[in-house]
Amino acid sequence: MENVKTIQWKDDVLILLDCRKLPEKEEYIICNNYTELGEAIKTLGVRGAPAIGVAAAYGVVLSSIHCIENDLKKEECINYIKSGINYLSSTRPTAINLFWSLNRMNKRLNKIKNLSKEKIKEELLKEANLIFKEDIETNFSIGKYGNDIILDNCNILTHCNAGALATAGYGTALGVVRYAHNSGKNIHVYVDETRPLLQGARLTCWELLKEEIPATLITDNMAGYVMKLKMIDMVIFGADRITANGDVANKIGSYSLAVLAKEHNIPVYVAAPLSTIDLKLKEGKDIPIEERSKEEVRKLFGVKVAPDNIKVFNPAFDVTENNLISGIITEKGIIRPPYKKNIEEMFNKK
Ligand code: MRU
């Protein structure tokens, strides 16, 4: 998607398209340091697993610039960059891409810490640019593999936003949609609005309309009915973390869709880069699930929709067990059951 610039690095500053303001306004957040970026991540100015990872990589570069500008001694400088990495790691717990990317930046830092501060900045920027570029290439490749299973005249149900706005560009689940649409297939997307924060309604609809991909918005509680009416051929959503056995954490509501889809014999595909797979975790119940502010449920755009003192449970993600998933579309191909064995094989595939 040429004209959506979710994440930009310009004149030593990180610029993020503010996902909190869309579709009302196209505004940008300027991050000059890692704390500003941390705030943007916590408040979902930048969100979506791969986008958080890419933005965090640039957050590490911002720290290296701080060291140069404040003339920190070498040891202070390395400590400062590392404290930035620690802080950014604490901003959101579920999406593995954040830790994957910070880990990669930290490893790079360890290799170059004897260089001058200017050189450290240069090398960290190279690594962040590489993470950015690889993300777009990876998504394109996910789109290409995913396109193989998209039939002409297909109706796809999607959840949350797994598009250009959730990545450095192109998207994962929406990358598949985009690829199929651009290859000339007649496809139509049903977009789940995705309460509480409406990433489907606000962001996915905005992206799809921008590219004139046919789409219809539904509220989350309509999914079962549209499936029963045979209006859905497949479900595709993204992932925030996938465990070694193929269980998938994604935006709250993904699990309900998968259960409904099983009842109606509709295949469910997950589109995600291999960097979203956490081989260290055995199964979905090991994934830390973020719980967000109760106000996100009690209010809608700051307007009260429930009494102030009502108790609220607000998990941001849920886990869909592997038996409900027909395949995981990655940049190296589609992983099918049995997941444990086939995930390992996909990692080893050249
Ligand atoms: O809370 P968010 O908006 O960061 O949640 C995002 C999602 O759940 C996406 O579906 C997921 O990160 C996949 S993004 C390519």
Side-chain angles (χ1 to χ4, degrees), residues 47-50 92 160-162 166-167 172 199 238-240 250-251 317:
R47 34 64 56 202
R92 292 195 78 189
C160 194
N161 173 266
T167 60
T172 53
Q199 289 94 328
D240 286 82
N250 192 51
K251 178 55 59 190
F317 302 96

Side-chain angles (χ1 to χ4, degrees), residues 56-70:
Y58 284 111
V60 180
V61 186
L62 288 174
S63 300
S64 69
I65 294 170
H66 171 95
C67 299
I68 299 169
E69 285 176 352
N70 292 279

